Amino acid sequence: MTAASTPELEADRQALIGLINAEAVFHGDFTLSSGKKATYYVDMRKLTLDHRAAPAIGRLVLDLVKDLDGVVAVGGLTLGADPIANAVMHESVHAGHPLDAFVVRKEPKDHGRGRQIEGADVKGKRVVVVEDTSTTGQSALKAVEALRREGAEVVAVAVIVDRKTGAQAAIEAEGLQWLASIDLDDLGLQPQ
């Protein structure tokens, strides 16, 4: 189990855990983006795009990254990271420590400026990749690879829900810090 850094943030985290259990955990037969089979699916998009949860998500992820020196932006692979990065950006302004947001496309655009990373300029900047949930870490690592090609210094990967199925080891093997707000113990679920 994890915990937030203040009683107010821990209250946000507990409220989010309640929303996840009530509205974002689905039981059945699922294939995850990694190709792995699972008997439950945590659909965080239901909550990252929900007005009740998004502000707390922004505050909780901001809490995860607040002690990382020199970080100026957060973002990740579209679509899962987009609402998280925006929530963090907005909450960071309220907290008095503004962070920008960026979006990493799965592939560079084939028109216009041909960019793969939109939003904040990341070249030479310290950034954090965010994700809603992670199984193997491959989506986050795809974003890390694109960011490194653009000259960004990726320092960490921050996820809302850690599925405890190898993502942390994959991220740490790349020399990055792994940060998670909620894990399966918090949700009363078993790794699979």
Side-chain angles (χ1 to χ4, degrees):
M1 292 182 140
T2 58
S5 68
T6 68
E8 295 81 12
L9 287 168
E10 183 57 23
D12 276 345
R13 197 176 81 81
Q14 291 301 321
L16 182 59
I17 288 168
L19 279 172
I20 292 168
N21 277 324
E23 299 183 26
V25 176
F26 295 87
H27 296 276
D29 294 320
F30 300 97
T31 302
L32 305 175
S33 63
S34 63
K36 291 184 176 185
K37 301 293 184 187
T39 59
Y40 64 83
Y41 182 73
V42 181
D43 185 359
M44 285 304 297
R45 285 180 191 90
K46 283 189 59 64
L47 296 176
T48 60
L49 295 164
D50 186 301
H51 72 281
R52 298 168 299 161
I57 288 168
R59 288 188 294 273
L60 290 167
V61 175
L62 185 60
D63 187 48
L64 290 175
V65 305
K66 72 180 177 359
D67 294 329
L68 300 174
D69 290 334
V71 168
V72 299
V74 298
L77 200 61
T78 198
L79 171 79
D82 301 349
I84 301 165
N86 282 313
V88 172
M89 178 181 62
H90 290 287
E91 291 300 325
S92 73
V93 171
H94 292 293
H97 302 288
L99 296 175
D100 288 322
F102 58 84
V103 173
V104 180
R105 296 174 184 275
K106 290 180 171 69
E107 300 293 333
K109 280 175 51 174
D110 62 357
H111 59 282
R113 294 174 53 203
R115 296 175 53 95
Q116 187 169 6
I117 300 170
E118 301 288 355
D121 177 23
V122 298
K123 187 173 184 174
K125 308 285 175 53
R126 291 174 56 86
V127 302
V128 173
V129 169
V130 295
E131 259 199 319
D132 52 4
T133 185
S134 193
T135 303
T136 64
Q138 293 310 301
S139 293
L141 290 175
K142 186 171 183 172
V144 168
E145 180 183 325
L147 287 157
R148 286 177 171 166
R149 277 195 309 269
E150 286 291 318
E153 181 185 349
V154 183
V155 298
V157 171
V159 299
I160 301 168
V161 177
D162 178 3
R163 289 183 59 93
K164 291 184 157 186
T165 51
Q168 179 175 356
I171 298 304
E172 290 175 344
E174 285 294 317
L176 301 169
Q177 189 171 352
W178 173 260
L179 305 165
S181 186
I182 296 168
D183 64 26
L184 295 184
D185 292 338
D186 295 315
L187 299 173
L189 298 170
Q190 296 298 312
Q192 38 178 321

